[in-house]
Amino acid sequence: MERTFIMIKPDGVERKLLGEIISRIEKKGFRIIRAKLFQPDRELVEEHYIEHKDKPFFEEIVEYITRGSVMAMEVEGDSAIEMMRNMIGATDPKKALPGTIRGDFAYSISENIIHGSDSKESAKRELKLWFG
Ligand code: CDP
Ligand code: MG
C-alpha cells in the first residue's frame, strides 16, 4: 500500500469536476484517507511548488492555485503514486491521452485541473506539508 498527495486545483473546483474526479479515484479502487476543501495561502503554495521557484511560470502558478478553493487529498492504494500520475495524464494537454483526467478535461498547460505527487519522496513531503 502506498499513499500519495492529490490536489484538485481551483479550475477543477470552479468547473464542478470534484464529483467526477473523486468518482474516478474510488472506481479505480483507491481509498481517500483524508480530504479538505479550502483556499490555500501563498506561503503553502510557494512551498509546494518550491522546485519550480526559478521557472518563468512560478508567479503565475502561485496566483492560480491561491485564487480559490482546492481539494487536497491523501489517496491510498497499491502503486498509488504511479497509477494516479497515469490517471492524471501529461502536463501538456496536447500530450495528455483521452481517458486521463487532463486528457478528458484540460485544455491549458497551466490550468490543468489536478496535481499528483511524482515520487515517494514528493508524496511524503507534500502530505506532511498539506496535512501535517
Ligand atoms: O503537474 P505536473 O507534475 O504534471 O507538472 P510540473 O512540470 O511539475 O509543473 C507543475 C505545474 O506548473 C503544472 O501542473 C502546471 O499547472 C504549471 N505549469 C505551467 O503553468 N506552465 C508550464 N510550462 C509547466 C507547468
Ligand atoms: Mg510536478
Side-chain angles (χ1 to χ4, degrees):
M1 281 291 172
E2 203 170 70
R3 291 183 179 189
T4 188
F5 175 68
I6 299 297
M7 172 188 35
I8 303 176
K9 298 176 176 181
D11 53 324
V13 177
E14 288 156 11
R15 291 175 57 194
K16 303 188 164 54
L17 292 169
L18 284 183
E20 169 73 35
I21 293 168
I22 289 168
S23 172
R24 287 181 183 216
I25 293 170
E26 291 190 324
K27 283 179 187 162
K28 183 72 177 175
F30 293 152
R31 205 156 71 88
I32 297 166
I33 305 284
R34 289 187 282 191
K36 56 181 179 186
L37 181 68
F38 72 114
Q39 185 166 7
D41 62 23
R42 169 169 282 270
E43 194 185 347
L44 174 58
V45 175
E46 284 182 352
E47 187 58 35
H48 175 76
Y49 279 121
I50 195 82
E51 66 170 312
H52 296 305
K53 194 165 61 70
D54 299 323
K55 304 270 174 61
F57 59 83
F58 185 71
E59 183 53 31
E60 187 192 329
I61 196 177
V62 173
E63 292 284 329
Y64 155 46
I65 303 295
T66 55
R67 79 172 181 221
S69 291
V70 302
M71 173 79 100
M73 291 182 275
E74 178 170 15
V75 172
E76 183 187 72
D78 283 333
S79 303
I81 298 168
E82 188 181 349
M83 291 221 268
M84 277 305 308
R85 290 282 294 189
N86 291 342
M87 285 166 65
I88 287 169
T91 315
D92 182 347
K94 293 196 288 294
K95 295 188 181 128
L97 298 175
T100 65
I101 294 166
R102 287 173 176 166
D104 289 348
F105 304 116
Y107 44 77
S108 157
I109 196 165
S110 54
E111 299 201 12
N112 54 18
I113 298 169
I114 185 167
H115 163 86
S117 307
D118 62 8
S119 66
K120 279 193 189 348
E121 296 69 42
S122 305
K124 195 171 169 211
R125 185 185 78 86
E126 292 168 5
L127 285 169
K128 185 154 194 326
L129 180 64
W130 288 80
F131 288 104

